[in-house]
Amino acid sequence: MLTLKQTRSLRTLVLGSLAWLLALTLFFPIFWMVLTSFKTEVDAFATPPQLFFSPTLENYLHIDSRSDYFHFAWNSLVISFGSTIAGMLLAVPAAYSMAFFETRRTKSTLLWMLSTKMLPPVGVLVPIYLLFKSAGLLDTRLGLVIVYTLINLPIMVWMVYTAFKEIPKDILEAARLDGATTTQEICRVLLPISKGGLASTILLSLILCWNEAFWSLNLTSSAAAPLTALVASYSSPEGLFWAKLSAVSTLACAPILIFGWLCQKQLVRGLSFGAVK
């Protein structure tokens, strides 16, 4: 018979092993993508797949000679941060009013906002495309900032709302008694207290904007195209060149992977109390 301590140790070992197995399974596609990026096209198509090969940088040199990587990366950076800032400017006052001035329709409004995420993007592509064409927003960073802000706003409002709901109303009432205006109440009291939840919302929004591909492929061509469009450009009628596609995908994923790794604590906190709760 196992003792209680041995049972707990065995359970910890089993759960830890399962967690590592799941993590390795999820990470393996990224590992294989990076590995393939250093192969030649012949090695990339080899059957069975080769784990040991002579690495080469020809795929990265080809990307550098064919396209301006930093142009696409700069577009992704501007669009992601621009839409995140715009989304926070809208989400904070909306969440503030819903969290501290609740009505009978607050919950239904939040559910309605979240339900808009279930709408297939292709269902509204034609009207948005025509509107952007009339307004001169096609192939512009501003156009993508507007679209990304609108598609991520429901999630941002939900996460900020959840963060605000954790703050006792007595703190805000004390600020009002001291003569604080609504702006001072939000900027000097509410935002500093909820900075953890706000940081999680910002991080998740940046990741969602960076990874968005559908709208960037349909609303841009070259001037405002982000990294997702650059990756898609390596899928041609001539076929898929796996080594070059892996190289450009690695370059597109690397910045956000590094950023996410450095900010993983805030991101996990946001996913646990904001996007799920």
Side-chain angles (χ1 to χ4, degrees):
M1 293 293 291
L2 295 176
T3 63
L4 180 61
K5 184 176 181 180
Q6 289 175 328
T7 303
R8 289 178 177 175
S9 299
L10 181 61
R11 183 183 302 172
T12 302
L13 178 62
V14 172
L15 292 177
S17 301
L18 289 175
W20 273 104
L21 180 62
L22 180 61
L24 291 174
T25 303
L26 295 175
F27 180 75
F28 181 78
I30 300 175
F31 165 75
W32 195 256
M33 175 185 70
V34 175
L35 198 67
T36 306
S37 69
F38 292 100
K39 295 180 178 180
T40 62
E41 293 294 343
V42 175
D43 290 336
F45 277 96
T47 304
Q50 298 179 358
L51 189 60
F52 300 100
F53 57 93
S54 299
T56 178
L57 294 176
E58 67 176 31
N59 300 311
Y60 292 95
L61 296 175
H62 173 81
I63 294 170
D64 182 62
S65 61
R66 173 185 165 180
S67 54
D68 186 359
Y69 167 79
F70 292 101
H71 167 73
F72 294 93
W74 176 250
N75 285 340
S76 290
L77 195 66
V78 171
I79 293 166
S80 298
F81 276 92
S83 59
T84 298
I85 293 172
M88 290 301 294
L89 290 176
L90 295 173
V92 168
Y96 169 79
S97 62
M98 292 180 179
F100 299 106
F101 301 96
E102 281 193 83
T103 65
R104 291 181 299 174
R105 297 186 178 181
T106 296
K107 294 291 185 182
S108 59
T109 302
L110 285 168
L111 289 173
W112 170 77
M113 292 180 63
L114 197 60
S115 68
T116 60
K117 291 293 294 179
M118 304 175 189
L119 178 70
V122 70
V124 293
L125 173 61
V126 173
I128 288 181
Y129 184 90
L130 294 176
L131 285 172
F132 274 42
K133 184 178 180 180
S134 301
L137 292 175
L138 287 178
D139 199 21
T140 63
R141 294 170 186 162
L142 177 59
L144 286 185
V145 166
I146 294 173
V147 171
Y148 287 10
T149 300
L150 294 177
I151 63 177
N152 292 327
L153 189 60
I155 293 178
M156 297 176 73
V157 171
W158 261 93
M159 293 182 67
V160 178
Y161 168 81
T162 307
F164 285 174
K165 287 295 288 184
E166 294 182 347
I167 300 174
K169 293 183 179 181
D170 296 341
I171 296 177
L172 298 183
E173 292 176 357
R176 292 170 193 153
L177 290 175
D178 290 338
T181 63
T182 302
T183 304
Q184 292 173 334
E185 181 182 322
I186 295 175
C187 296
R188 297 185 180 182
V189 180
L190 195 60
L191 296 185
I193 296 175
S194 58
K195 60 183 179 181
L198 298 177
S200 303
T201 306
I202 291 172
L203 289 173
L204 186 60
S205 175
L206 286 173
I207 293 173
L208 291 174
C209 292
W210 192 276
N211 294 334
E212 176 60 42
F214 178 82
W215 293 107
S216 65
L217 294 177
N218 287 284
L219 298 180
T220 64
S221 56
S222 57
L227 285 170
T228 49
L230 175 63
V231 174
S233 69
Y234 278 79
S235 175
S236 62
E238 290 79 12
L240 290 177
F241 298 92
W242 289 110
K244 295 179 179 60
L245 186 61
S246 297
V248 72
S249 298
T250 300
L251 290 175
C253 294
I256 201 65
L257 283 175
I258 296 171
F259 182 72
W261 177 263
L262 295 175
C263 306
Q264 58 181 313
K265 289 184 179 180
Q266 291 295 339
L267 181 59
V268 170
R269 184 171 185 268
L271 289 173
S272 62
F273 81 82
V276 176
K277 192 172 180 180

